[in-house]
Amino acid sequence: MSVGTSRGSEAPVLLTGFAPFDGQRVNASWLAVQEVARTWSGPTSLVVERLPVSFESAPRVLLEKVARYRPRLVVAVGEAGGRSAVSLERVAVNVVDASIPDADGHQPVDEPVEAGAPVGYLSGLPLRACLAAVRRTGVPVEISGSAGAYVCNAVFYRLMAAVEGGGIAAGFVHVPRTPGQVREGEPAMVTPDAALALRVVLDTVLAGV
Ligand code: PCA
């Protein structure tokens, strides 16, 4: 699924979320991405895409969109259960250790994302500036040292490998689950707050590229 808004002649921003997984009916990342799209006013055009929670398909779909749209900025967004703050992911690691099967029933354990490839890639986003800018909104935010070892980390890894040296700013952000997804007392964030944080991240990066 992809949605284009504010069509322009310049390279767009590509923002992705994920389909529901782990028995959930929604994915907080896709709710937040849709909210960003709904309230987007440019001037850069925005393309959003929902990725399947699949080790095989998600990177392929994402990299197809990168090739098709040639965006100036790519931010992939996922949902992180148990977290209470928006997580600006610092590093993608070349490890898969799935605790649950993906959408295709695959559950790799202790495998590389890509055999023989570098151990990791750092985010291409200006994390410190993004952290400061999101903090000013009051939305809880942190720089995270691990995007996990599931589909999000694998997508982050393949994204960074694909854009290396290509002049495309790229990175990964995890958002907490929404209050509707969790039991009382568990960490959550309302979609407008997550969307605000994403919008501020995009604006901060665009201001510098
Ligand atoms: N979160 C999972 C995969 C899809 C998503 O939204 C993760 O953190 O790997």
Side-chain angles (χ1 to χ4, degrees):
M1 181 189 308
S2 66
V3 184
T5 58
S6 312
R7 292 184 93 70
S9 55
E10 293 188 332
V13 172
L14 176 60
L15 182 68
T16 66
F18 278 96
F21 73 114
D22 199 16
Q24 297 279 327
R25 287 190 310 114
V26 296
N27 188 308
S29 67
W30 181 237
L31 297 178
V33 164
Q34 285 179 294
E35 178 68 6
V36 172
R38 196 181 65 77
T39 55
W40 187 259
S41 56
T44 309
S45 61
L46 175 71
V47 175
V48 301
E49 179 75 21
R50 195 181 83 156
L51 304 179
V53 182
S54 156
F55 286 103
E56 196 271 315
S57 306
R60 182 170 45 75
V61 172
L62 175 59
L63 297 186
E64 276 170 12
K65 299 298 165 189
V66 171
R68 174 167 165 198
Y69 291 103
R70 302 192 169 281
R72 70 176 67 183
L73 167 61
V74 185
V75 177
V77 187
E79 170 192 297
R83 294 197 193 180
S84 55
V86 171
S87 299
L88 310 174
E89 298 295 350
R90 193 196 293 274
V91 58
V93 294
N94 193 9
V95 172
V96 180
D97 184 7
S99 57
I100 55 173
D102 73 0
D104 304 322
H106 296 148
Q107 189 175 352
V109 172
D110 295 345
E111 287 183 16
V113 176
E114 200 168 324
V119 69
Y121 289 99
L122 295 174
S123 174
L125 306 179
L127 297 183
R128 219 28 88 179
C130 291
L131 181 75
V134 177
R135 276 210 177 123
R136 282 194 286 275
T137 70
V139 174
V141 60
E142 64 188 3
I143 293 176
S144 161
S146 174
Y150 193 51
V151 174
C152 288
N153 172 73
V155 164
F156 184 18
Y157 184 93
R158 290 204 185 270
L159 172 63
M160 297 318 300
V163 303
E164 196 184 22
I168 300 174
F172 197 97
V173 177
H174 266 118
V175 297
R177 284 182 170 165
T178 64
Q181 294 179 274
V182 301
R183 285 190 293 265
E184 210 175 321
E186 291 177 348
M189 179 178 284
V190 295
T191 297
D193 281 1
L196 174 60
L198 294 178
R199 173 74 209 217
V200 168
V201 166
L202 299 182
D203 287 345
T204 302
V205 184
L206 289 174
V209 295

Coordinates of all heavy atoms in Angstrom, one line a residue, residues 17-19 21 27-29 53 77-80 147-153 172 174, ligand 1:
G17 N 5.6 2.5 7.7 CA 5.2 1.8 8.9 C 5.0 0.3 8.6 O 5.2 -0.1 7.5
F18 N 4.6 -0.4 9.6 CA 4.4 -1.8 9.4 C 2.9 -2.3 9.6 O 2.2 -1.6 10.3 CB 5.2 -2.6 10.4 CG 6.7 -2.8 10.0 CD1 7.6 -1.9 10.5 CD2 7.1 -3.8 9.2 CE1 9.0 -2.0 10.1 CE2 8.4 -3.9 8.8 CZ 9.4 -3.0 9.3
A19 N 2.6 -3.4 9.0 CA 1.4 -4.1 9.2 C 1.3 -4.6 10.7 O 2.3 -4.8 11.4 CB 1.2 -5.2 8.3
F21 N 1.2 -7.2 13.8 CA 1.9 -8.4 14.1 C 1.7 -8.8 15.5 O 1.1 -8.0 16.3 CB 3.4 -8.3 13.7 CG 4.2 -7.5 14.7 CD1 5.2 -8.1 15.5 CD2 4.0 -6.2 14.9 CE1 5.9 -7.4 16.4 CE2 4.7 -5.4 15.8 CZ 5.7 -6.0 16.5
N27 N -1.0 -1.6 14.0 CA 0.4 -1.4 14.3 C 0.5 0.1 14.6 O 0.2 0.9 13.7 CB 1.3 -1.9 13.2 CG 2.7 -1.8 13.5 OD1 3.2 -0.8 14.0 ND2 3.5 -2.9 13.3
A28 N 1.1 0.4 15.7 CA 1.2 1.9 16.1 C 2.0 2.7 15.1 O 1.8 3.8 14.9 CB 1.8 2.0 17.5
S29 N 3.0 2.0 14.5 CA 3.8 2.7 13.5 C 3.0 3.1 12.3 O 3.2 4.3 11.8 CB 5.0 1.8 13.1 OG 4.6 0.7 12.3
V53 N 5.3 -7.6 7.9 CA 6.2 -8.0 8.9 C 6.8 -9.3 8.5 O 6.5 -10.4 9.0 CB 5.6 -8.0 10.3 CG1 6.6 -8.4 11.4 CG2 4.9 -6.7 10.7
V77 N 9.6 3.2 10.2 CA 9.1 3.3 11.5 C 8.5 2.0 11.9 O 7.8 1.3 11.1 CB 8.0 4.4 11.6 CG1 7.6 4.6 13.1 CG2 8.5 5.7 11.1
G78 N 8.7 1.5 13.1 CA 8.2 0.3 13.6 C 7.6 0.5 15.0 O 7.8 1.5 15.6
E79 N 6.9 -0.5 15.5 CA 6.3 -0.5 16.8 C 7.1 -1.3 17.8 O 7.6 -2.4 17.4 CB 4.9 -1.1 16.7 CG 4.2 -1.4 18.0 CD 3.0 -2.3 17.8 OE1 2.0 -1.8 17.1 OE2 2.9 -3.4 18.4
A80 N 7.4 -0.7 18.9 CA 8.1 -1.4 19.9 C 7.3 -1.6 21.2 O 7.2 -0.6 22.0 CB 9.4 -0.7 20.2
A147 N 17.7 -1.7 18.0 CA 16.4 -1.8 17.3 C 15.9 -3.3 17.3 O 15.0 -3.6 16.6 CB 16.6 -1.4 15.8
G148 N 16.5 -4.0 18.3 CA 16.1 -5.4 18.4 C 16.8 -6.3 17.4 O 17.8 -5.9 16.8
A149 N 16.3 -7.5 17.2 CA 16.9 -8.5 16.3 C 15.8 -9.1 15.5 O 16.0 -10.3 15.0 CB 17.7 -9.5 17.0
Y150 N 14.7 -8.4 15.3 CA 13.6 -9.0 14.5 C 13.5 -8.2 13.2 O 14.4 -7.7 12.6 CB 12.3 -8.8 15.4 CG 11.1 -9.6 15.0 CD1 11.2 -10.9 14.6 CD2 9.9 -8.9 14.8 CE1 10.0 -11.6 14.2 CE2 8.7 -9.6 14.4 CZ 8.8 -11.0 14.1 OH 7.7 -11.7 13.7
V151 N 12.3 -8.1 12.6 CA 12.1 -7.6 11.3 C 12.5 -6.1 11.2 O 13.1 -5.7 10.2 CB 10.6 -7.8 10.8 CG1 10.4 -7.2 9.4 CG2 10.3 -9.3 10.7
C152 N 12.2 -5.3 12.2 CA 12.6 -3.9 12.1 C 14.1 -3.7 12.0 O 14.5 -2.9 11.1 CB 12.1 -3.2 13.4 SG 10.3 -3.0 13.4
N153 N 14.8 -4.4 12.8 CA 16.3 -4.3 12.7 C 16.8 -4.8 11.3 O 17.7 -4.1 10.7 CB 17.0 -5.1 13.8 CG 18.5 -5.2 13.6 OD1 19.2 -4.2 13.8 ND2 19.0 -6.4 13.1
F172 N 15.9 4.8 11.2 CA 14.8 4.0 11.7 C 14.3 4.6 13.1 O 15.2 5.0 13.9 CB 15.2 2.6 11.9 CG 14.0 1.6 12.1 CD1 13.5 0.9 11.0 CD2 13.4 1.5 13.3 CE1 12.4 0.1 11.1 CE2 12.3 0.7 13.4 CZ 11.8 0.0 12.3
H174 N 11.5 3.7 16.3 CA 10.4 2.9 16.9 C 9.5 3.8 17.7 O 9.9 4.7 18.3 CB 11.1 1.9 17.9 CG 11.3 0.5 17.3 ND1 12.6 0.0 17.2 CD2 10.5 -0.4 16.7 CE1 12.5 -1.2 16.6 NE2 11.3 -1.5 16.3
Ligands
PCA1 N1 7.9 -4.0 15.1 C1 8.7 -5.2 14.9 C2 8.5 -5.6 13.5 C3 7.3 -4.8 13.0 C4 7.1 -3.8 14.0 O1 6.3 -2.8 13.9 C5 10.1 -5.0 15.3 O2 10.4 -4.2 16.2 O3 11.0 -5.7 14.8

